[in-house]
Amino acid sequence: DADLSQPELTTPGMVSLSTVSTPLLCAPHDNLGRHTQVLTVFTGAATSMSCPLLYLDAIRRAMLAYLRLQRETGSLPLVFNTPGWVEGLGRHFLEAMLDCARVNLLVKLQMQ
């Protein structure tokens, strides 16, 4: 989960890697504690603008933890909850995340 301000599985200000065993069909605060946290990194703020290098390092650490987990468990899909900020510096963050994750399929969900 890379959305610092509106995370699905942790409190704001965290980059996290979790294993999810049931669908995420409820409000984010109802998901707290329902899934296994593999890694959480506190960034100190609910926005990546406060410390961009720390934020990118947290993403890198989460990806390294994912790669270790994938080696241990076999094929394991990765779903990224990214911030909605996708212009300017936000776009650079998103591109860095995608590069780090070696994404082969990108799905954009949005409400009309």
Side-chain angles (χ1 to χ4, degrees):
D1 196 337
D3 190 342
L4 296 179
S5 62
Q6 296 176 330
E8 288 293 322
L9 301 171
T10 61
T11 55
M14 302 273 203
V15 169
S16 68
L17 175 67
S18 307
T19 55
V20 176
S21 54
T22 58
L24 301 174
L25 301 176
C26 53
H29 64 274
D30 289 333
N31 289 320
L32 296 176
R34 290 187 180 193
H35 305 282
T36 304
Q37 297 294 321
V38 176
L39 175 81
T40 55
V41 179
F42 180 61
T43 64
T47 174
S48 52
M49 291 248 335
S50 295
C51 192
L53 295 179
L54 179 61
Y55 177 66
L56 290 175
D57 184 61
I59 298 293
R60 183 189 59 77
R61 290 173 58 189
M63 282 308 307
L64 291 173
Y66 167 72
L67 293 173
R68 279 192 303 273
L69 185 63
Q70 190 177 41
R71 279 193 302 272
E72 295 169 6
T73 62
S75 181
L76 189 65
L78 176 66
V79 177
F80 250 111
N81 177 32
T82 61
W85 181 32
V86 295
E87 295 179 358
L89 187 56
R91 181 181 179 99
H92 292 291
F93 283 141
L94 182 59
E95 289 170 351
M97 279 185 251
L98 297 176
D99 288 344
C100 185
R102 299 182 212 137
V103 171
N104 59 14
L105 174 65
L106 179 64
V107 177
K108 178 182 178 184
L109 304 176
Q110 68 183 48
M111 297 176 67
Q112 293 291 348

